Amino acid sequence: MNDVTRTAPWQQLSEHRAEVESTTLRELFAADPERAESLTVSAGDLVIDYSKHRVTDRTLALLLELARVAGVERQRDRMVSGAHVNTSEDRAVLHTALRLPATATLVVDGQDVVADVHAVLTAMGEFTDRVRSGAWRGASGQPIATVVNIGIGGSDLGPVMVTRALRGYHDGPAVRFVSNVDPADLTAALAGLDPASTLFVVASKTFSTLETLSNATAARRWLVAALGEEAVPAHFVAVSTHAGRVAEFGIDPANMFGFWDWVGGRYSVDSAIGLAVMCAIGRERFAELLAGFHLLDEHFRTAPLEANAPVLLGLLGVWYTSFLGAQSRVVLPYANDLVRFPAYLQQLAMESNGKSVRADGSPVGYRTGEIFWGEPGTNGQHAFYQLLHQGTHLVPADFIGFARAGEDLVTADGVSMHAVLMANMFAQAQVLAFGRSAEQIRAEGTAEELVAHKTMPGNRPSTTILAPELTPSTVGQLIALYEHQVFVQGVVWGIDSFDQWGVELGKVQATQLQPAVSGTGPVSTGDGSTDALIATYRSMSKG
Ligand code: F6P
């Protein structure tokens, strides 16, 4: 496998770093009055300003050259056409096929996957129409008031995030989510629910995930205790790639919505895994969500690299991570309904690119994988922005804002609260970039002993993503924007972004420790610390 660090653009970027580190954003803007305009790109309905990044024209040219020599375009084309780009699992990676229009054709291994996708979408549509209209009845004849999605990781985070993001479009039954094997999660989700009007969606690609099967079993007991065994078919449906395991669990495979091994868990909200979302917003709105994804897919597939938003943003992530020493990227949606977006991106980015060997198994000699974190603005401003503004870490920020509010209110002064929210977003990006110098602080008459404390260094990079409104389409566009950034980075770093071997050992070990923890086996786990902790746990749990 080619070592990207030996390529000319990588080596040139390493040398070029010092030049950028000795330049400030203030200087870059002063030197080029057109900078904001030239470093703004449109993708679908998204307008993306990346001018407040610590890059010069040369940095961008070298990063784009890096993408070319790493083979981003070739790998992108291979991915969307069904090549097995997930090499360690020898699988195609075709989440982009989940949002192709019904008129498209994509034959992979002799099978038209678009026809398969739309057959499942139709089945989901018919089912959710019945649930939403009340035609689907529980065992005692009641319509469904609450859908409870049981799943974890990609079988939870996507549906949770999108359902919450599209709160303004929610016109179906209430939807709740259970993921954690902590019994508190299911207990809280079931509180106040009537089994007779509750429908469970058990969502698991493999249908073997411990947390999901434990929660589904407990939920089933709860239902059977109230309505009897014969009530199960009317109250349990499944989403999975494994019909056999679904049947073994006791769910009629006729009530299963399928997908395929070429859909990764963290790329699956637009597959049948989105069933709970469709229950909430309906099949038409779900189609708009998919159309939004597709709009960005087409942009990614066809826009030249220098005007390709996921390529540019992905490369900026490489620049900060591998060259400038940044360890994380903060995502700051100025939309409260995107409260779960940072958590969603954590799985997307960190399960994908948290790798230290390349696709051929050789160790990487550079930093990979961005750590994503964040909270909606303005809440984060009153929590961790202090560190962003004056701390010692370099943390590139993504600001996400919308021009129109789904619903607006006014302040005591009669000002739109949405405008207040957005003014905060613009102000934060501005202060991060340009700060406030000691001279400016002094000129305001600040006492000398406070000047250092009040100085805002600035030169802190950010992207600002603006969209017209938080709609199904823009949510789809935003997700695809980040999916493709993750892909671009994986190609540059030479890693397989589509496996997740690193989460397996912990699962196996937890199963092995279970007898010791629950008291049915000896406390002899192989290391002194774990033995002592489990022994203490066992004696504490006796009360
Ligand atoms: O955490 C590992 C993982 O395999 C994720 O990639 C996946 O989204 C999650 O577990 C849930 O898996 P499943 O949908 O098979 O239950």
Side-chain angles (χ1 to χ4, degrees), residues 67-68 70-78 303-305 487 491:
R68 285 193 185 94
V72 165
E73 289 154 297
R74 195 177 69 87
Q75 286 296 86
R76 172 198 64 197
D77 295 345
R78 292 185 69 231
L305 294 193
F487 173 79
V491 174

Side-chain angles (χ1 to χ4, degrees), residues 23 41 229 291 312 373-374 414 444:
T23 313
V41 62
E229 191 66 37
L312 290 163
W373 59 290
E444 289 165 358

Side-chain angles (χ1 to χ4, degrees), residues 101-115:
T103 48
T105 310
L106 178 63
V107 178
V108 178
D109 302 329
Q111 183 68 20
D112 180 5
V113 296
V114 182

Side-chain angles (χ1 to χ4, degrees), residues 151-156 203-212 239-241 259 264-268 273 347 351 500 503-504 507:
I152 196 165
S155 301
D156 169 70
S204 174
K205 178 175 172 180
T206 56
F207 227 79
S208 65
T209 304
L210 171 88
E211 291 89 338
T212 301
V239 179
S240 186
T241 57
F259 60 115
R266 53 196 175 272
Y267 298 87
S268 66
I273 288 291
Q347 189 199 14
E351 202 165 70
Q500 58 284 320
V503 298
E504 296 307 323
K507 294 183 194 171

